[in-house]
Amino acid sequence: MISATARRAAAAAATTALAGLLVAGCGSEKGGEAAAPEGWRTLDAQQVSVAYPKGFEELPKDKLPKSATAEADLVEDGKTVARVVAQVRFMQTSDLDMAVEGAGAAYEFGGTPKGKKDVKVSGTSAARRIDHEFKSSGKDGSPPRGTRMTAVDVVGMDKEDHPWVVRVTAPQEKLSQDDLDRIVGSIKVTG
């Protein structure tokens, strides 16, 4: 069991990492992209790939925030209403439990955990899905302040035991449970 002190240290490290860490990744193995449902496209985030729904647009590399290796956004009326973000090496650990705690730190203030479970991800032996709810801040072109949001994080380790996270955020009911499950099911570790 992880002590409260270790959990807080992991949360602080992850919050810092998620807020501003830009990590240079290694090359990817192009043969192993995520299986995309018909009409969907695939984000290649170096060691991880994930499919995203029709209507989303991938951000060019020079427009990515520091907290993303690859990102696709759904924009409506000039506002980013949903995101699929993949980030490799998002924190310094080789422990899956610590990486899961670190990813959850992004929701520590103002978020509500809705469940955590092991999921099967192609290319890795262990990954966890964490579901959250939170309210939008209304900043940076996001939905209006107070909009009830759903977030799904999938956290795992790449082939060199570095953590990655795929994060999906959207207003509640914007993406169906089937779409969320398809995104999660499409994740593939490629490096």
Side-chain angles (χ1 to χ4, degrees):
M1 186 144 108
I2 298 173
S3 72
T5 303
R7 199 173 302 120
R8 280 192 294 276
T15 301
T16 301
L18 288 170
L21 182 62
L22 177 60
V23 229
C26 303
S28 68
E29 296 174 13
K30 286 291 185 188
E33 287 188 346
E38 188 173 335
W40 289 32
R41 301 182 122 179
T42 301
L43 284 177
D44 179 5
Q46 300 161 0
Q47 287 88 357
V48 178
S49 66
V50 60
Y52 58 90
K54 188 175 184 178
F56 282 67
E57 292 293 329
E58 185 170 354
L59 269 61
K61 298 291 182 204
D62 64 338
K63 299 287 184 194
L64 289 172
K66 291 182 179 182
S67 60
T69 308
E71 180 175 326
D73 293 348
L74 178 63
V75 177
E76 295 176 351
D77 298 324
K79 301 259 186 207
T80 300
V81 296
R83 288 186 166 105
V84 177
V85 177
Q87 185 178 11
V88 297
R89 299 185 184 198
F90 74 95
M91 64 182 288
Q92 297 295 318
T93 185
S94 59
D95 179 77
L96 179 59
D97 290 328
M98 190 73 80
V100 168
E101 291 294 324
Y107 306 103
E108 188 125 339
F109 301 105
T112 305
K114 290 296 182 181
K116 186 185 307 184
K117 65 182 179 180
D118 291 337
V119 291
K120 179 148 181 56
V121 171
S122 179
T124 190
S125 60
R128 297 223 177 89
R129 174 178 172 160
I130 309 108
D131 291 89
H132 288 88
E133 289 180 0
F134 66 100
K135 291 184 179 176
S136 174
S137 67
K139 296 179 181 174
D140 300 322
S142 63
R145 181 179 177 85
T147 300
R148 293 174 47 127
M149 304 287 287
T150 295
V152 176
D153 287 356
V154 178
V155 181
M157 307 303 280
D158 67 18
K159 293 177 181 177
E160 296 178 3
D161 274 342
H162 298 294
W164 52 265
V165 61
V166 170
R167 175 167 288 155
V168 183
T169 57
Q172 289 182 1
E173 312 304 326
K174 177 58 78 174
L175 292 174
S176 70
Q177 191 61 51
D178 283 347
D179 282 345
L180 290 169
D181 290 343
R182 277 188 216 122
I183 293 168
V184 170
S186 75
I187 300 169
K188 185 169 186 177
V189 176
T190 57

